Amino acid sequence: VLYRDYRLSYLTDEILGLHLLSILHILSMDDRKNRYGKKKDHVLAEHLLQWILENLPFKLESAAFEQEFQMSYRRLNSIFKRRYGCTIHRCVLERKIQYAAHLLIMGDDIALVASKCGFEDYFYFLKVFKKIKGITPKLYKDVYLDGRKLDEAP
C-alpha cells in the first residue's frame, strides 16, 4: 500500500505530461524518418533519371537497368514512381517523344526521328507519339513547320 501511494504521488500531472510529450516526440521523429529519411531513395531516383536521359537513344529494357543499378527493375520502378509519380517506362517514352517532337520541328524525316529516338518499330513510334501528344507525328510536323494552329490543321 505504501509503494502504491508513493507511486501515485510521484506521477503528478507535470510528470505525466512530460512523459507524454517525450513519447509524442519519439513518434514524430519516427514518422519524420519514414517520410523524409529516404534521401538515399531520392538520390537513386535522380540518378535513374539522369541515366535515362543519357541513354535515351538506346533501347532501354529492364535488364539494362538491373545491370546498371544492381537492383531489381521492380524495386527501381517503385523508388522512381514514389519520387516522380510515373513509372520508368512511362518516363522513358515521354522523354523520347519530347525529343522526337523537337527533331520533327527541326525538319527531320519521321522514320529517321523514330530511329534516332530508339524506336525499332516505326508503327510503335507512331502509336506512342499519338498517345502522348494527341496527334500524329506528320500532323505535328506539318502544324509546326507551316506555322498553323492545331485547330486549323486538316
Side-chain angles (χ1 to χ4, degrees):
V1 174
L2 289 175
Y3 177 74
R4 196 179 103 201
D5 291 338
Y6 170 76
R7 199 73 178 126
L8 291 176
S9 66
Y10 172 73
L11 294 176
T12 63
D13 286 344
E14 282 183 47
I15 301 287
L16 285 173
L18 289 173
H19 282 295
L20 183 60
L21 281 174
S22 170
I23 291 169
L24 289 173
H25 178 71
I26 291 168
L27 288 173
S28 72
M29 290 301 288
D30 189 48
D31 183 52
R32 214 175 292 154
K33 282 181 187 174
N34 286 339
R35 280 191 191 171
Y36 307 111
K38 301 195 186 248
K39 291 184 180 180
K40 185 178 177 184
D41 284 354
H42 287 296
V43 170
L44 178 59
E46 289 168 6
H47 186 72
L48 258 165
L49 182 59
Q50 185 62 38
W51 189 81
I52 289 169
L53 295 174
E54 290 170 2
N55 293 283
L56 217 68
F58 307 110
K59 188 172 183 180
L60 298 176
E61 294 180 336
S62 59
F65 286 95
E66 290 174 347
Q67 184 178 0
E68 177 68 24
F69 294 97
Q70 298 299 307
M71 199 178 286
S72 76
Y73 182 77
R74 187 175 181 172
R75 175 79 175 121
L76 290 169
N77 208 25
S78 172
I79 291 168
F80 191 86
K81 189 170 186 176
R82 198 174 321 121
R83 177 76 170 118
Y84 294 110
C86 67
T87 63
I88 291 172
H89 181 70
R90 178 71 183 190
C91 177
V92 167
L93 289 179
E94 286 176 356
R95 299 296 172 135
K96 284 184 175 193
I97 296 305
Q98 185 179 28
Y99 181 55
H102 170 73
L103 293 175
L104 288 170
I105 290 171
M106 300 311 283
D108 286 1
D109 179 60
I110 296 172
L112 180 64
V113 168
S115 176
K116 281 183 178 179
C117 292
F119 287 92
E120 294 175 358
D121 184 350
Y122 175 75
F123 295 105
Y124 180 63
F125 167 73
L126 296 177
K127 178 182 173 183
V128 171
F129 191 97
K130 184 165 184 177
K131 183 177 180 183
I132 292 176
K133 290 291 186 184
I135 58 175
T136 64
K138 176 157 178 32
L139 184 57
Y140 186 89
K141 183 177 180 177
D142 291 346
V143 165
Y144 285 94
L145 286 181
D146 294 345
R148 292 182 288 170
K149 291 184 180 173
L150 194 55
D151 55 357
E152 297 173 6

